[in-house]
PDB file of all heavy atoms in Angstrom:
ATOM      1  N   GLN A  95     104.043 107.285 116.479  1.00 98.00           N
ATOM      2  CA  GLN A  95     104.149 106.433 117.697  1.00 98.00           C
ATOM      3  C   GLN A  95     104.233 104.954 117.281  1.00 98.00           C
ATOM      4  O   GLN A  95     104.684 104.135 117.989  1.00 98.00           O
ATOM      5  CB  GLN A  95     103.026 106.681 118.616  1.00 98.00           C
ATOM      6  CG  GLN A  95     103.181 107.975 119.364  1.00 98.00           C
ATOM      7  CD  GLN A  95     102.027 108.369 120.093  1.00 98.00           C
ATOM      8  OE1 GLN A  95     100.998 107.623 120.276  1.00 98.00           O
ATOM      9  NE2 GLN A  95     101.972 109.577 120.640  1.00 98.00           N
ATOM     10  N   LYS A  96     103.667 104.611 116.078  1.00 98.00           N
ATOM     11  CA  LYS A  96     103.548 103.188 115.699  1.00 98.00           C
ATOM     12  C   LYS A  96     104.542 102.903 114.588  1.00 98.00           C
ATOM     13  O   LYS A  96     104.443 101.857 113.943  1.00 98.00           O
ATOM     14  CB  LYS A  96     102.171 102.948 115.198  1.00 98.00           C
ATOM     15  CG  LYS A  96     101.038 103.122 116.176  1.00 98.00           C
ATOM     16  CD  LYS A  96     100.921 101.893 117.140  1.00 98.00           C
ATOM     17  CE  LYS A  96      99.771 102.168 118.073  1.00 98.00           C
ATOM     18  NZ  LYS A  96      99.567 101.124 119.028  1.00 98.00           N
ATOM     19  N   LYS A  97     105.467 103.805 114.362  1.00 98.00           N
ATOM     20  CA  LYS A  97     106.336 103.645 113.152  1.00 98.00           C
ATOM     21  C   LYS A  97     107.083 102.289 113.138  1.00 98.00           C
ATOM     22  O   LYS A  97     107.068 101.536 112.124  1.00 98.00           O
ATOM     23  CB  LYS A  97     107.363 104.815 113.094  1.00 98.00           C
ATOM     24  CG  LYS A  97     108.265 104.687 111.940  1.00 98.00           C
ATOM     25  CD  LYS A  97     109.210 105.942 111.753  1.00 98.00           C
ATOM     26  CE  LYS A  97     110.351 105.622 110.784  1.00 98.00           C
ATOM     27  NZ  LYS A  97     111.321 106.667 110.699  1.00 98.00           N
ATOM     28  N   LYS A  98     107.615 101.909 114.245  1.00 98.00           N
ATOM     29  CA  LYS A  98     108.431 100.693 114.212  1.00 98.00           C
ATOM     30  C   LYS A  98     107.574  99.464 114.027  1.00 98.00           C
ATOM     31  O   LYS A  98     107.903  98.659 113.233  1.00 98.00           O
ATOM     32  CB  LYS A  98     109.225 100.541 115.574  1.00 98.00           C
ATOM     33  CG  LYS A  98     110.473 101.400 115.673  1.00 98.00           C
ATOM     34  CD  LYS A  98     111.539 100.682 116.444  1.00 98.00           C
ATOM     35  CE  LYS A  98     112.931 101.281 116.271  1.00 98.00           C
ATOM     36  NZ  LYS A  98     113.395 101.483 114.919  1.00 98.00           N
ATOM     37  N   ASP A  99     106.446  99.449 114.688  1.00 98.00           N
ATOM     38  CA  ASP A  99     105.554  98.225 114.576  1.00 98.00           C
ATOM     39  C   ASP A  99     104.981  98.164 113.170  1.00 98.00           C
ATOM     40  O   ASP A  99     104.966  97.132 112.592  1.00 98.00           O
ATOM     41  CB  ASP A  99     104.439  98.380 115.605  1.00 98.00           C
ATOM     42  CG  ASP A  99     105.012  97.905 117.038  1.00 98.00           C
ATOM     43  OD1 ASP A  99     106.048  97.270 117.059  1.00 98.00           O
ATOM     44  OD2 ASP A  99     104.311  98.272 118.020  1.00 98.00           O
ATOM     45  N   LEU A 100     104.456  99.319 112.729  1.00 98.00           N
ATOM     46  CA  LEU A 100     103.824  99.318 111.410  1.00 98.00           C
ATOM     47  C   LEU A 100     104.915  98.934 110.327  1.00 98.00           C
ATOM     48  O   LEU A 100     104.618  98.183 109.377  1.00 98.00           O
ATOM     49  CB  LEU A 100     103.113 100.604 111.110  1.00 98.00           C
ATOM     50  CG  LEU A 100     102.194 100.680 109.944  1.00 98.00           C
ATOM     51  CD1 LEU A 100     101.052  99.588 110.061  1.00 98.00           C
ATOM     52  CD2 LEU A 100     101.517 101.981 109.827  1.00 98.00           C
ATOM     53  N   GLY A 101     106.105  99.483 110.499  1.00 98.00           N
ATOM     54  CA  GLY A 101     107.171  99.170 109.579  1.00 98.00           C
ATOM     55  C   GLY A 101     107.512  97.699 109.575  1.00 98.00           C
ATOM     56  O   GLY A 101     107.689  97.047 108.482  1.00 98.00           O
ATOM     57  N   MET A 102     107.481  97.138 110.749  1.00 98.00           N
ATOM     58  CA  MET A 102     107.790  95.623 110.826  1.00 98.00           C
ATOM     59  C   MET A 102     106.600  94.869 110.181  1.00 98.00           C
ATOM     60  O   MET A 102     106.905  93.839 109.486  1.00 98.00           O
ATOM     61  CB  MET A 102     107.927  95.316 112.350  1.00 98.00           C
ATOM     62  CG  MET A 102     108.099  93.782 112.550  1.00 98.00           C
ATOM     63  SD  MET A 102     109.531  93.096 111.728  1.00 98.00           S
ATOM     64  CE  MET A 102     110.723  93.128 113.054  1.00 98.00           C
ATOM     65  N   LEU A 103     105.395  95.363 110.375  1.00 98.00           N
ATOM     66  CA  LEU A 103     104.302  94.625 109.757  1.00 98.00           C
ATOM     67  C   LEU A 103     104.386  94.639 108.141  1.00 98.00           C
ATOM     68  O   LEU A 103     104.095  93.681 107.470  1.00 98.00           O
ATOM     69  CB  LEU A 103     102.912  95.152 110.168  1.00 98.00           C
ATOM     70  CG  LEU A 103     101.653  94.456 109.628  1.00 98.00           C
ATOM     71  CD1 LEU A 103     101.714  92.965 109.911  1.00 98.00           C
ATOM     72  CD2 LEU A 103     100.382  95.046 110.202  1.00 98.00           C
ATOM     73  N   VAL A 104     104.805  95.796 107.613  1.00 98.00           N
ATOM     74  CA  VAL A 104     105.080  95.948 106.155  1.00 98.00           C
ATOM     75  C   VAL A 104     106.090  94.856 105.807  1.00 98.00           C
ATOM     76  O   VAL A 104     105.916  94.137 104.796  1.00 98.00           O
ATOM     77  CB  VAL A 104     105.539  97.339 105.778  1.00 98.00           C
ATOM     78  CG1 VAL A 104     105.996  97.372 104.345  1.00 98.00           C
ATOM     79  CG2 VAL A 104     104.443  98.314 105.997  1.00 98.00           C
ATOM     80  N   THR A 105     107.122  94.773 106.616  1.00 98.00           N
ATOM     81  CA  THR A 105     108.246  93.783 106.313  1.00 98.00           C
ATOM     82  C   THR A 105     107.649  92.348 106.400  1.00 98.00           C
ATOM     83  O   THR A 105     107.933  91.523 105.507  1.00 98.00           O
ATOM     84  CB  THR A 105     109.373  93.941 107.374  1.00 98.00           C
ATOM     85  OG1 THR A 105     109.955  95.259 107.104  1.00 98.00           O
ATOM     86  CG2 THR A 105     110.366  92.870 107.338  1.00 98.00           C
ATOM     87  N   LEU A 106     106.832  92.083 107.408  1.00 98.00           N
ATOM     88  CA  LEU A 106     106.293  90.750 107.548  1.00 98.00           C
ATOM     89  C   LEU A 106     105.297  90.415 106.455  1.00 98.00           C
ATOM     90  O   LEU A 106     105.220  89.279 106.019  1.00 98.00           O
ATOM     91  CB  LEU A 106     105.586  90.633 108.864  1.00 98.00           C
ATOM     92  CG  LEU A 106     106.449  90.668 110.123  1.00 98.00           C
ATOM     93  CD1 LEU A 106     105.632  90.543 111.381  1.00 98.00           C
ATOM     94  CD2 LEU A 106     107.483  89.524 110.105  1.00 98.00           C
ATOM     95  N   GLU A 107     104.540  91.297 106.006  1.00 98.00           N
ATOM     96  CA  GLU A 107     103.417  91.010 105.066  1.00 98.00           C
ATOM     97  C   GLU A 107     103.828  91.082 103.606  1.00 98.00           C
ATOM     98  O   GLU A 107     103.316  90.306 102.756  1.00 98.00           O
ATOM     99  CB  GLU A 107     102.175  91.910 105.369  1.00 98.00           C
ATOM    100  CG  GLU A 107     100.948  91.251 104.857  1.00 98.00           C
ATOM    101  CD  GLU A 107      99.672  92.047 105.269  1.00 98.00           C
ATOM    102  OE1 GLU A 107      99.716  93.260 105.377  1.00 98.00           O
ATOM    103  OE2 GLU A 107      98.626  91.363 105.398  1.00 98.00           O
ATOM    104  N   VAL A 108     104.705  92.047 103.268  1.00 98.00           N
ATOM    105  CA  VAL A 108     105.152  92.134 101.805  1.00 98.00           C
ATOM    106  C   VAL A 108     106.568  91.900 101.659  1.00 98.00           C
ATOM    107  O   VAL A 108     107.013  91.952 100.447  1.00 98.00           O
ATOM    108  CB  VAL A 108     104.635  93.476 101.191  1.00 98.00           C
ATOM    109  CG1 VAL A 108     103.139  93.657 101.311  1.00 98.00           C
ATOM    110  CG2 VAL A 108     105.379  94.676 101.704  1.00 98.00           C
ATOM    111  N   GLY A 109     107.308  91.693 102.628  1.00 98.00           N
ATOM    112  CA  GLY A 109     108.756  91.241 102.451  1.00 98.00           C
ATOM    113  C   GLY A 109     109.786  92.342 102.190  1.00 98.00           C
ATOM    114  O   GLY A 109     110.913  91.990 101.831  1.00 98.00           O
ATOM    115  N   LYS A 110     109.454  93.606 102.485  1.00 98.00           N
ATOM    116  CA  LYS A 110     110.473  94.646 102.313  1.00 98.00           C
ATOM    117  C   LYS A 110     111.476  94.514 103.442  1.00 98.00           C
ATOM    118  O   LYS A 110     111.076  94.235 104.570  1.00 98.00           O
ATOM    119  CB  LYS A 110     109.792  95.985 102.394  1.00 98.00           C
ATOM    120  CG  LYS A 110     108.953  96.422 101.184  1.00 98.00           C
ATOM    121  CD  LYS A 110     108.510  97.795 101.308  1.00 98.00           C
ATOM    122  CE  LYS A 110     107.728  98.198 100.054  1.00 98.00           C
ATOM    123  NZ  LYS A 110     107.502  99.624  99.977  1.00 98.00           N
ATOM    124  N   VAL A 111     112.684  94.901 103.176  1.00 98.00           N
ATOM    125  CA  VAL A 111     113.677  94.929 104.279  1.00 98.00           C
ATOM    126  C   VAL A 111     113.232  95.995 105.232  1.00 98.00           C
ATOM    127  O   VAL A 111     112.520  96.988 104.900  1.00 98.00           O
ATOM    128  CB  VAL A 111     115.169  95.193 103.784  1.00 98.00           C
ATOM    129  CG1 VAL A 111     115.587  94.007 102.883  1.00 98.00           C
ATOM    130  CG2 VAL A 111     115.291  96.479 103.064  1.00 98.00           C
ATOM    131  N   LEU A 112     113.667  95.817 106.488  1.00 97.00           N
ATOM    132  CA  LEU A 112     113.079  96.609 107.592  1.00 97.00           C
ATOM    133  C   LEU A 112     113.196  98.097 107.377  1.00 97.00           C
ATOM    134  O   LEU A 112     112.314  98.907 107.621  1.00 97.00           O
ATOM    135  CB  LEU A 112     113.844  96.245 108.887  1.00 97.00           C
ATOM    136  CG  LEU A 112     113.078  96.335 110.208  1.00 97.00           C
ATOM    137  CD1 LEU A 112     111.621  95.753 110.016  1.00 97.00           C
ATOM    138  CD2 LEU A 112     113.786  95.695 111.308  1.00 97.00           C
ATOM    139  N   SER A 113     114.394  98.582 106.874  1.00 96.00           N
ATOM    140  CA  SER A 113     114.558 100.010 106.683  1.00 96.00           C
ATOM    141  C   SER A 113     113.558 100.530 105.665  1.00 96.00           C
ATOM    142  O   SER A 113     113.075 101.727 105.699  1.00 96.00           O
ATOM    143  CB  SER A 113     115.988 100.447 106.336  1.00 96.00           C
ATOM    144  OG  SER A 113     116.211 100.162 105.008  1.00 96.00           O
ATOM    145  N   GLU A 114     113.292  99.746 104.686  1.00 97.00           N
ATOM    146  CA  GLU A 114     112.260 100.176 103.686  1.00 97.00           C
ATOM    147  C   GLU A 114     110.813 100.094 104.309  1.00 97.00           C
ATOM    148  O   GLU A 114     110.000 100.962 103.918  1.00 97.00           O
ATOM    149  CB  GLU A 114     112.340  99.290 102.437  1.00 97.00           C
ATOM    150  CG  GLU A 114     113.614  99.602 101.614  1.00 97.00           C
ATOM    151  CD  GLU A 114     113.531  98.833 100.281  1.00 97.00           C
ATOM    152  OE1 GLU A 114     112.630  99.045  99.524  1.00 97.00           O
ATOM    153  OE2 GLU A 114     114.422  97.984 100.092  1.00 97.00           O
ATOM    154  N   GLY A 115     110.595  99.104 105.131  1.00 98.00           N
ATOM    155  CA  GLY A 115     109.305  99.013 105.818  1.00 98.00           C
ATOM    156  C   GLY A 115     109.063 100.323 106.594  1.00 98.00           C
ATOM    157  O   GLY A 115     108.056 100.907 106.536  1.00 98.00           O
ATOM    158  N   GLU A 116     110.065 100.556 107.392  1.00 98.00           N
ATOM    159  CA  GLU A 116     109.951 101.811 108.231  1.00 98.00           C
ATOM    160  C   GLU A 116     109.969 103.093 107.384  1.00 98.00           C
ATOM    161  O   GLU A 116     109.263 104.056 107.693  1.00 98.00           O
ATOM    162  CB  GLU A 116     111.040 101.828 109.280  1.00 98.00           C
ATOM    163  CG  GLU A 116     110.891 100.921 110.334  1.00 98.00           C
ATOM    164  CD  GLU A 116     111.974 100.939 111.391  1.00 98.00           C
ATOM    165  OE1 GLU A 116     112.657 101.927 111.464  1.00 98.00           O
ATOM    166  OE2 GLU A 116     112.101  99.948 112.251  1.00 98.00           O
ATOM    167  N   GLY A 117     110.694 103.034 106.334  1.00 97.00           N
ATOM    168  CA  GLY A 117     110.775 104.180 105.398  1.00 97.00           C
ATOM    169  C   GLY A 117     109.403 104.467 104.797  1.00 97.00           C
ATOM    170  O   GLY A 117     108.984 105.605 104.605  1.00 97.00           O
ATOM    171  N   GLU A 118     108.656 103.370 104.549  1.00 97.00           N
ATOM    172  CA  GLU A 118     107.341 103.587 104.006  1.00 97.00           C
ATOM    173  C   GLU A 118     106.436 104.273 105.055  1.00 97.00           C
ATOM    174  O   GLU A 118     105.646 105.154 104.666  1.00 97.00           O
ATOM    175  CB  GLU A 118     106.760 102.216 103.631  1.00 97.00           C
ATOM    176  CG  GLU A 118     105.442 102.374 102.941  1.00 97.00           C
ATOM    177  CD  GLU A 118     104.936 101.190 102.164  1.00 97.00           C
ATOM    178  OE1 GLU A 118     105.715 100.262 101.856  1.00 97.00           O
ATOM    179  OE2 GLU A 118     103.732 101.269 101.873  1.00 97.00           O
ATOM    180  N   VAL A 119     106.541 103.865 106.310  1.00 98.00           N
ATOM    181  CA  VAL A 119     105.790 104.518 107.326  1.00 98.00           C
ATOM    182  C   VAL A 119     106.169 106.031 107.469  1.00 98.00           C
ATOM    183  O   VAL A 119     105.369 106.912 107.715  1.00 98.00           O
ATOM    184  CB  VAL A 119     105.846 103.753 108.639  1.00 98.00           C
ATOM    185  CG1 VAL A 119     104.986 104.451 109.727  1.00 98.00           C
ATOM    186  CG2 VAL A 119     105.462 102.360 108.505  1.00 98.00           C
ATOM    187  N   GLN A 120     107.519 106.294 107.297  1.00 98.00           N
ATOM    188  CA  GLN A 120     107.999 107.674 107.395  1.00 98.00           C
ATOM    189  C   GLN A 120     107.345 108.483 106.250  1.00 98.00           C
ATOM    190  O   GLN A 120     106.978 109.652 106.479  1.00 98.00           O
ATOM    191  CB  GLN A 120     109.523 107.692 107.223  1.00 98.00           C
ATOM    192  CG  GLN A 120     110.109 109.064 107.394  1.00 98.00           C
ATOM    193  CD  GLN A 120     109.821 109.724 108.707  1.00 98.00           C
ATOM    194  OE1 GLN A 120     109.920 109.106 109.757  1.00 98.00           O
ATOM    195  NE2 GLN A 120     109.375 111.007 108.727  1.00 98.00           N
ATOM    196  N   GLU A 121     107.117 107.826 105.164  1.00 98.00           N
ATOM    197  CA  GLU A 121     106.473 108.487 104.059  1.00 98.00           C
ATOM    198  C   GLU A 121     105.037 108.937 104.396  1.00 98.00           C
ATOM    199  O   GLU A 121     104.559 109.982 104.012  1.00 98.00           O
ATOM    200  CB  GLU A 121     106.498 107.541 102.799  1.00 98.00           C
ATOM    201  CG  GLU A 121     106.595 108.277 101.510  1.00 98.00           C
ATOM    202  CD  GLU A 121     106.866 107.325 100.423  1.00 98.00           C
ATOM    203  OE1 GLU A 121     107.678 106.334 100.525  1.00 98.00           O
ATOM    204  OE2 GLU A 121     106.389 107.532  99.262  1.00 98.00           O
ATOM    205  N   MET A 122     104.394 108.053 105.233  1.00 98.00           N
ATOM    206  CA  MET A 122     103.011 108.405 105.666  1.00 98.00           C
ATOM    207  C   MET A 122     103.107 109.663 106.569  1.00 98.00           C
ATOM    208  O   MET A 122     102.228 110.630 106.509  1.00 98.00           O
ATOM    209  CB  MET A 122     102.378 107.238 106.504  1.00 98.00           C
ATOM    210  CG  MET A 122     102.327 105.966 105.801  1.00 98.00           C
ATOM    211  SD  MET A 122     101.802 104.641 106.974  1.00 98.00           S
ATOM    212  CE  MET A 122     100.082 104.846 107.047  1.00 98.00           C
ATOM    213  N   ILE A 123     104.107 109.703 107.448  1.00 98.00           N
ATOM    214  CA  ILE A 123     104.257 110.758 108.380  1.00 98.00           C
ATOM    215  C   ILE A 123     104.603 112.060 107.549  1.00 98.00           C
ATOM    216  O   ILE A 123     103.961 113.130 107.764  1.00 98.00           O
ATOM    217  CB  ILE A 123     105.438 110.515 109.368  1.00 98.00           C
ATOM    218  CG1 ILE A 123     105.012 109.291 110.255  1.00 98.00           C
ATOM    219  CG2 ILE A 123     105.711 111.709 110.179  1.00 98.00           C
ATOM    220  CD1 ILE A 123     106.156 108.689 111.023  1.00 98.00           C
ATOM    221  N   ASP A 124     105.426 111.961 106.599  1.00 98.00           N
ATOM    222  CA  ASP A 124     105.822 113.131 105.791  1.00 98.00           C
ATOM    223  C   ASP A 124     104.594 113.714 105.080  1.00 98.00           C
ATOM    224  O   ASP A 124     104.441 114.919 105.089  1.00 98.00           O
ATOM    225  CB  ASP A 124     106.873 112.770 104.755  1.00 98.00           C
ATOM    226  CG  ASP A 124     108.230 112.381 105.355  1.00 98.00           C
ATOM    227  OD1 ASP A 124     108.420 112.670 106.593  1.00 98.00           O
ATOM    228  OD2 ASP A 124     109.044 111.780 104.725  1.00 98.00           O
ATOM    229  N   ILE A 125     103.793 112.850 104.532  1.00 98.00           N
ATOM    230  CA  ILE A 125     102.678 113.357 103.713  1.00 98.00           C
ATOM    231  C   ILE A 125     101.599 113.981 104.696  1.00 98.00           C
ATOM    232  O   ILE A 125     100.928 114.932 104.317  1.00 98.00           O
ATOM    233  CB  ILE A 125     102.034 112.297 102.814  1.00 98.00           C
ATOM    234  CG1 ILE A 125     101.182 112.975 101.720  1.00 98.00           C
ATOM    235  CG2 ILE A 125     101.242 111.271 103.558  1.00 98.00           C
ATOM    236  CD1 ILE A 125     101.956 113.552 100.610  1.00 98.00           C
TER     237      ILE A 125
END
Side-chain angles (χ1 to χ4, degrees):
Q95 285 170 10
K96 300 279 183 180
K97 180 175 166 183
K98 278 217 166 308
D99 283 340
L100 193 56
M102 176 59 96
L103 182 55
V104 171
T105 293
L106 293 177
E107 203 173 32
V108 305
K110 285 187 179 190
V111 296
L112 210 47
S113 78
E114 288 188 59
E116 286 183 15
E118 184 162 346
V119 181
Q120 184 59 45
E121 213 167 325
M122 301 172 83
I123 295 165
D124 293 344
I125 197 78

